[in-house]
Amino acid sequence: MLKYLILITIYEVSTLHLKNNILYLIITIFITSLIFISGCSYLQDEKISESHTTPTTNIKTFDEPNFPQGFDHTKNLDSPSDVPDEIKVIWEAWKYIQDDYVDQESLDPKIMAEEAIKAMIASIGDPQTTYIKPEVLAGSFGDMYKGNFEGIGAHVTINSAGKIVIVAPIEGGPAKAAGIKSGDIILSVDGKSIEGLSLLEVVALIRGPKGSTVTIEVKHLAMQKNETIEIIRDVIVLPTVLLRSSEDDPYAHIRITNFYPNTNDQLKNILKNLEKRNYQGIILDLRGNPGGTLKAAIEVTSQFLEDGIVMYSIDGKGKRTDYKVLPEGLATKKPMVVLINRGSASSSEVLAGAIQDTNRGLIIGSRSYGKGGINILRQLSNKGGLYITIKYWFTPNGTRIHETGIQPDIIVTDSDPKIADINQLNKAKEELKKIITNKSEA
């Protein structure tokens, strides 16, 4: 009604000949006010009308993301009956990717399988347990435990951070001559980063035929800059037992560089020859010895102990296995001290731990590396392999060697490795003399 009134008023005003400006201004203000009131009334009517309508539902907003509803298709996957329930979800994920993924041409089942294996291993958190690719496993590594092989002559391991570390360069080998040291971290081989590679993958890159050259970038302990070292590969001969003392020395300084199948026989030959001499005691030098086979460690340790156990192991199910001292040791009565350092690992730690726990002799030097586990290689159907830790080693009194190492009875260290070697040997002679003197006075 108000709308019609406004129109009539406008029409009437338009027919008048207004000469009075004041009257014209008043009429203009009155008409504007009517229009404003009419508009407000209209908006109020619209608001009331909306309040009586049914609210709209399922309005998508930016604050409430609208996810598609999922459907359970697992009943239709027909997973193999022999897939354990614990890993059925892995098979389901693989099947969905194979069936549904948009870029089917990019899918490589071999790569997917290998990456799944690596992910499972990574969840364990054990750097000693690794996956070995078929092309790497096709190489031969068994010759390293037979007395000679071709390469640079260095023992390596992988630490808890996944870094490849030099345990010790082999005496007389090209790696030691070129400047490789115990504790060096390998960063690259022939200019290629080894980040993410397994231990055996790196070993396969480093090893090669005699006369060939390999370039290795390393980070030395306590050094700011990395060093790139060029090494010419050679045949690495492994004489594992050396007699460092002369016939006139009162102490037999026996150096064991590795533990291999022939190590015990070499040691027995030296001990038998020493029986012809009037020596008073033994300095057993295990510094820089990265270990070897467990069998050799038991045999060698048994040359110095009369009875008891050398060590024991515990597997993943809690089963304990004792490794007893073998009979007929050749040096069970002679006073002795044992030298170890950061480069002493694995089988070296078994021997040092047994000597220490049985009070057979003093341990002198610096804490050993801490590598005490049994690993086996399981071959997979793709010709690759799983190198897996199955047991941990313990000293006779129950010290776990892995990641703990052997703490010396007398610590002798120096920032200069050469000075440390000299001081440790001098301390060994000093302590051995005390032991012999006290024994003769008793």
Side-chain angles (χ1 to χ4, degrees):
M1 183 66 183
L2 181 60
K3 298 175 183 177
Y4 294 111
L5 177 61
I6 293 173
L7 292 174
I8 293 171
T9 304
I10 292 173
Y11 173 78
E12 291 177 350
V13 170
S14 63
T15 57
L16 296 177
H17 299 282
L18 297 177
K19 297 181 180 180
N20 190 323
N21 290 335
I22 295 176
L23 178 61
Y24 179 82
L25 179 60
I26 292 173
I27 293 173
T28 302
I29 293 172
F30 175 73
I31 293 172
T32 302
S33 298
L34 289 178
I35 293 173
F36 177 78
I37 293 172
S38 175
C40 290
S41 177
Y42 176 78
L43 291 176
Q44 182 67 25
D45 290 343
E46 289 295 322
K47 184 175 181 181
I48 294 174
S49 175
E50 288 177 4
S51 67
H52 290 290
T53 61
T54 302
T56 303
T57 59
N58 295 327
I59 298 177
K60 184 177 180 179
T61 68
F62 290 107
D63 294 329
E64 300 175 358
N66 185 18
F67 294 106
Q69 185 176 357
F71 297 94
D72 182 12
H73 295 296
T74 57
K75 294 181 180 179
N76 300 323
L77 280 179
D78 295 329
S79 59
S81 59
D82 57 347
V83 175
D85 290 339
E86 294 86 349
I87 62 172
K88 188 172 290 186
V89 64
I90 299 176
W91 187 90
E92 292 169 355
W94 177 85
K95 190 71 169 69
Y96 281 139
I97 292 173
Q98 292 291 324
D99 292 348
D100 300 338
Y101 185 62
V102 61
D103 189 1
Q104 290 285 309
E105 293 183 357
S106 68
L107 299 181
D108 187 329
K110 176 186 174 183
I111 294 177
M112 292 172 63
E114 289 186 337
E115 292 302 318
I117 295 170
K118 291 178 182 178
M120 285 191 287
I121 292 173
S123 71
I124 298 173
D126 176 15
Q128 302 297 332
T129 297
T130 58
Y131 170 70
I132 306 168
K133 293 182 177 181
E135 55 269 27
V136 176
L137 192 58
S140 174
F141 299 96
D143 57 353
M144 290 189 295
Y145 297 96
K146 294 179 180 179
N148 65 79
F149 64 93
E150 294 184 359
I152 66 168
H155 293 281
V156 296
T157 188
I158 185 167
N159 66 15
S160 58
K163 303 296 183 182
I164 306 300
V165 181
I166 300 289
V167 177
I170 295 173
E171 290 284 344
K176 185 162 186 173
I180 295 293
K181 301 177 177 63
S182 295
D184 285 352
I185 297 176
I186 300 176
L187 304 175
S188 68
V189 177
D190 287 333
K192 297 180 180 179
S193 172
I194 62 167
E195 187 73 26
L197 297 184
S198 69
L199 179 62
L200 287 185
E201 286 176 323
V202 175
V203 170
L205 292 175
I206 294 174
R207 293 189 67 187
K210 174 184 176 181
S212 60
T213 301
V214 62
T215 302
I216 300 176
E217 182 186 8
V218 298
K219 179 177 179 58
H220 298 301
L221 288 174
M223 297 292 287
Q224 295 291 332
K225 293 183 179 181
N226 303 333
E227 183 179 3
T228 300
I229 300 175
E230 188 175 275
I231 306 172
I232 300 175
R233 300 180 179 100
D234 203 347
V235 175
I236 310 302
V237 181
L238 301 171
T240 59
V241 186
L242 306 168
L243 183 62
R244 291 286 182 84
S245 53
S246 65
E247 291 186 4
D248 298 332
D249 289 334
Y251 313 126
H253 180 188
I254 301 174
R255 171 96 165 93
I256 301 180
T257 62
N258 295 274
F259 288 84
Y260 292 127
N262 61 354
T263 300
N264 187 50
D265 289 336
Q266 294 180 36
L267 176 62
K268 288 169 67 175
N269 289 335
I270 288 178
L271 292 175
K272 287 177 181 178
N273 289 330
L274 285 171
E275 290 175 354
K276 303 173 185 177
R277 292 162 44 182
N278 187 27
Y279 76 103
Q280 300 176 31
I282 298 172
I283 299 173
L284 190 62
D285 195 342
L286 303 177
R287 293 175 296 179
N289 184 327
T293 68
L294 179 59
K295 182 175 183 291
I298 303 302
E299 292 173 343
V300 169
T301 305
S302 297
Q303 299 300 330
F304 306 102
L305 299 179
E306 291 185 306
D307 52 27
I309 63 171
V310 175
M311 54 156 275
Y312 66 88
S313 66
I314 296 180
D315 66 15
K317 296 179 175 61
K319 181 183 177 182
R320 170 172 167 160
T321 302
D322 289 348
Y323 296 83
K324 296 181 179 181
V325 173
L326 301 176
E328 301 180 358
L330 298 178
T332 61
K333 300 294 185 181
K334 287 289 184 181
M336 68 183 298
V337 296
V338 178
L339 293 175
I340 63 171
N341 62 8
R342 188 61 176 166
S344 306
S346 187
S347 299
S348 296
E349 296 170 295
V350 169
L351 196 163
I355 297 297
Q356 185 178 58
D357 282 6
T358 58
N359 296 315
R360 176 66 181 84
L362 286 176
I363 310 300
I364 298 173
S366 57
R367 186 173 70 87
S368 63
Y369 189 85
K371 184 181 185 298
I374 299 176
N375 291 71
I376 60 171
L377 180 62
R378 300 290 195 190
Q379 189 166 33
L380 303 176
S381 59
N382 68 343
K383 304 301 182 182
L386 190 64
Y387 190 64
I388 183 170
T389 304
I390 61 170
K391 294 181 181 180
Y392 283 133
W393 295 345
F394 296 81
T395 67
N397 288 349
T399 299
R400 194 180 92 162
I401 295 173
H402 192 67
E403 296 181 343
T404 302
I406 303 299
Q407 187 71 18
D409 299 306
I410 300 174
I411 298 175
V412 180
T413 61
D414 194 277
S415 57
D416 187 330
K418 292 183 179 179
I419 295 176
D421 285 350
I422 295 171
N423 291 343
Q424 289 164 358
L425 183 58
N426 289 337
K427 187 64 175 178
K429 293 178 180 179
E430 177 187 329
E431 293 299 322
L432 191 54
K433 183 177 180 180
K434 290 180 183 178
I435 295 172
I436 294 170
T437 301
N438 294 336
K439 185 178 179 180
S440 63
E441 293 177 351

